[in-house]
Amino acid sequence: MLDALDKELLKAVADLEDIPKGAYNIRKNGKLLTRATSANINIESNAEGTGIVVTIAPGTVNESVHIPVILSQAGLYDVVYNNFIIGEGADVTIVAGCGIHCGTASPEGHAGIHEFRVGRGAKVKYVEKHYATGPGSGKRSLNPTTKVFLAEGAQAEMELTQIGGVDEADRLNEATLEASSLLMVMERVMTEKDQRAVSRNEIKLVGADSRANMISRSVMKGNSKQNFYATIEALAKCFGHIECDAIIMDNGTNETIPSLKAMHPDAELTHEASIGKIANDQLMKLMSLGLTYDDAVNRIIQGFLK
Amino acid sequence: MLDALDKELLKAVADLEDIPKGAYNIRKNGKLLTRATSANINIESNAEGTGIVVTIAPGTVNESVHIPVILSQAGLYDVVYNNFIIGEGADVTIVAGCGIHCGTASPEGHAGIHEFRVGRGAKVKYVEKHYATGPGSGKRSLNPTTKVFLAEGAQAEMELTQIGGVDEADRLNEATLEASSLLMVMERVMTEKDQRAVSRNEIKLVGADSRANMISRSVMKGNSKQNFYATIEALAKCFGHIECDAIIMDNGTNETIPSLKAMHPDAELTHEASIGKIANDQLMKLMSLGLTYDDAVNRIIQGFLK
C-alpha cells in the first residue's frame, strides 16, 4: 500500500517505518489512505468531509494516534480540518506531520487546521514535523494552525518542527488556558535559500494558576527570512514565559516581536530573546577538538534545534 | 523673578534651587523667562519662534545646559521644538524637564520635541524629568519626543523619568546610530490612579559596531496603565539590547512589546522582560528587618526606579 516515496516521507515526518501500531489515519494527496481505531480512540471523517474527528475516551492512557499527511501530487494544495477531543484524565500522544515531495515545477502545499479540546486533568503530547523534498522546482508551502483549549488542570505539550525544504510557511498557534492548566510549546524552524517562515502565536491565560511556556528556536541560512510573533495575554493570576532564540547564518534575517499583556495584578510574565550568529568561542572549542568549521557549525545547529 | 511655586517645580524637575550656573533657558507658561549663554554654548530662539537652538562648540567639556519648562497656566498646552547641535569631541550634560502645577479644573500640558545632533566623537548626557502637581482636577499631559542622531563614535546617555502626577503621557524616542556610536537609554515611568502612559521607542543601528542599550522600568499603581513599545532595527554589525521590567501594584496593567529586527548577518540583538508584582521574598526580607509592609513596598519601588 505504501510505496518507497511514501515510506520516506512517513519516516521523516512521523518516524514511522511502516503502518504504525494503535490508532492512525494516513492521508495521501488529499484523500484517506488508511485508518485504524482502537477501543479508546475513535477516528471518523467530519460531517463536511473536510477532515477528521479524533475522540479519545476519558481515562485513556499510554496510547498514541498517528495522523501523518503525505503529498506528492503536482499542483495540489491540500487543506484539512482536524478536531481532537481528549477526554478527562486521558494521557495520550498525537503524532502529526506533513511530508511533501515535489517532482515538478508546479507548487504543492498543505494547510492542517488542528483544534484540540483537552478535558479536565487530561494530558496530551502533540508532535508535528514538517518537511519537503524532491527534485521539482515548484513552491512547497506548509501552513499549519493549532488551536488548543485547555480545561481546568489540563496539560498540553506541543512540539512543532519544520525540518527543512519548506519554501513558505505561515504558522499560527492559538491557546486558551483555564484554571491550573499548563501549556508548553517548543517550536523549531529551519529555513535556507530564499525560504520564508512566519510564526504567529496567541496565548490567553484565562484561568487562575494557568501557566504557559513558549520556546522558539530559529535558524536562518542562505537568504531566508523568519518572523516570529508571540502574544501572551494574562487575565488571571498566572505565569507566562516566552523565549526566542535565533541563529543567523549567511545572509538570513529575523524579526522577533513578543508581546506581553499583563491585565491582572497577579500576572507574572517574562520574556527572553537572543538573535545572532553562532558564538565564536563555541566554534573554536569544537574546532580545537578536531572538527572542521562546517562540521562544528552543523554540530551547534543540531544541538540548538534538538 | 522666580516665585515659590516656580522654585518648587524647578527643584523637582531639574534639581535646581535657583537660577543655575552656566548656560540655561527657562521657559514658563509658553514663554521665555530667562536665558544665559556661555563662551562655548549658544542658545537662541529658532527662526519660527517655536523653540530654541542650543549650539555647543566642538571640544566643549565639563559644561552643562539647563532648559527646564514650568507650567501653571490653566488651559495651556505648550508645544516647543528644541534643537541641540553638539560639536565634535564635546562632552556635555543637558538637563531638561517639565513641571506642571495645576490649580483648576482646566487641563494643562506640554509637548517638548527635542532633536539632538551629536557630532563625531562627542558625548552627551541628557537628563529629563517630568512631574505634575497641584490641587486642580484638570488633566495634566506630558508628551515628550526625543530624536537622537549619533555621528561616528558619538555617545548619548539618556535618562528619561516621569516621577509622578502625570495623567497622560505619550512618549516617543527615536535614535539613529552611525558607526561605533553608543546609545544608552534609561526610562523610568511611575503611574498611579487612572493615569495612562505610552512609550514608543525606535532605534536604528545603521553603522558598523554601533551599540544600543535601552532599559525601561515601569511601576503601575492604582488603576493605571502603561504601554511600552521598543523596536531595534539592526542594519549593520552591531549590538542591541532591550530590557523592560515592570512592577504591577494594585490593579495596574501593562503591555510590553519589544521588536527585534535583525537585518544583517552580524547583528546581535537581545531582549529581556519581566512583568509582575514585587516578589514576596523581597518584601518578607525587608519586613523581617522591621519595616512595615507599606515601607517595604516603597523601599523596593524606590530602588527599582532609582
Side-chain angles (χ1 to χ4, degrees), chain A:
Chain A
M1 187 167 61
L2 296 173
D3 63 26
L5 190 59
D6 296 345
K7 286 189 179 178
E8 186 201 321
L9 292 174
L10 285 176
K11 173 76 180 132
V13 303
D15 244 334
L16 294 174
E17 299 288 352
D18 209 318
I19 298 296
K21 289 196 174 65
Y24 61 82
N25 187 96
I26 303 179
R27 183 178 174 96
K28 179 180 172 183
N29 293 332
K31 290 186 193 104
L32 174 62
L33 185 71
T34 172
R35 174 186 294 171
T37 61
S38 77
N40 294 316
I41 302 179
N42 188 44
I43 304 177
E44 51 192 17
S45 299
N46 63 21
E48 302 80 15
T50 57
I52 55 174
V53 179
V54 177
T55 309
I56 295 165
T60 303
V61 293
N62 293 328
E63 288 200 47
S64 64
V65 195
H66 284 78
I67 53 153
V69 169
I70 51 182
L71 212 145
S72 53
Q73 182 182 319
L76 180 64
Y77 186 78
D78 178 34
V79 181
V80 67
Y81 295 83
N82 296 336
N83 279 272
F84 303 87
I85 299 157
I86 296 141
E88 291 190 10
D91 186 349
V92 293
T93 298
I94 299 170
V95 180
C98 179
I100 290 181
H101 182 276
C102 178
T104 75
S106 291
E108 293 182 24
H110 175 71
I113 295 95
H114 288 185
E115 194 174 303
F116 301 83
R117 301 207 166 261
V118 190
R120 288 164 69 98
K123 274 184 177 180
V124 62
K125 178 171 179 173
Y126 176 69
V127 181
E128 179 189 274
K129 275 189 199 157
H130 282 171
Y131 171 64
T133 185
S137 61
K139 191 168 77 177
R140 306 105 192 248
S141 322
L142 277 167
N143 303 317
T145 295
T146 66
K147 297 184 186 190
V148 181
F149 300 90
L150 295 179
E152 193 176 335
Q155 298 190 9
E157 186 184 342
M158 319 283 290
E159 279 189 23
L160 311 168
T161 311
Q162 179 176 313
I163 312 172
V166 180
D167 293 315
E168 214 173 74
D170 195 345
R171 309 169 63 84
L172 175 64
N173 301 307
E174 293 177 358
T176 304
L177 281 75
E178 298 296 343
S180 303
S181 63
L182 171 65
L183 174 72
M184 289 175 289
V185 183
M186 164 64 104
E187 188 181 62
R188 304 173 182 97
V189 178
M190 206 277 283
T191 49
E192 56 189 343
K193 297 172 187 159
D194 290 307
Q195 296 169 358
R196 296 284 176 270
V198 178
S199 171
R200 297 174 215 277
N201 303 274
E202 299 276 342
I203 298 170
K204 276 202 168 116
L205 301 172
V206 175
D209 297 313
S210 55
R211 288 170 295 155
N213 187 10
M214 157 127 224
I215 298 175
S216 154
R217 297 259 164 114
S218 305
V219 174
M220 285 78 52
K221 298 182 184 178
N223 295 310
S224 70
K225 182 175 179 174
Q226 291 191 33
N227 298 60
F228 177 81
Y229 309 107
T231 300
I232 296 197
E233 195 175 350
L235 302 165
K237 176 177 185 297
C238 63
F239 175 79
H241 181 66
I242 306 175
E243 202 176 307
C244 342
D245 291 315
I247 290 183
I248 297 179
M249 298 177 68
D250 312 320
N251 291 306
T253 55
N254 178 277
E255 184 174 291
T256 292
I257 309 183
S259 169
L260 304 179
K261 301 185 182 187
M263 313 304 285
H264 189 280
D266 294 312
E268 201 181 328
L269 299 178
T270 53
H271 173 255
E272 282 174 63
S274 167
I275 306 175
K277 289 203 303 186
I278 295 172
N280 247 325
D281 52 348
Q282 269 190 289
L283 278 174
M284 289 303 152
K285 195 175 166 189
L286 287 175
M287 286 165 76
S288 74
L289 298 172
L291 273 68
T292 64
Y293 176 83
D294 285 351
D295 285 345
V297 167
N298 282 335
R299 183 75 63 88
I300 291 168
I301 294 298
Q302 277 164 26
F304 179 73
L305 289 176
K306 201 171 178 176

Side-chain angles (χ1 to χ4, degrees), chain B residues 100 102 130-134 138-142 162-168 190-193 195:
Chain B
I100 290 180
C102 178
H130 283 172
Y131 172 64
T133 185
K139 190 168 78 178
R140 306 106 192 248
S141 324
L142 277 167
Q162 180 176 312
I163 312 173
V166 181
D167 294 315
E168 215 173 71
M190 207 276 283
T191 49
E192 57 190 342
K193 297 171 187 160
Q195 296 168 358

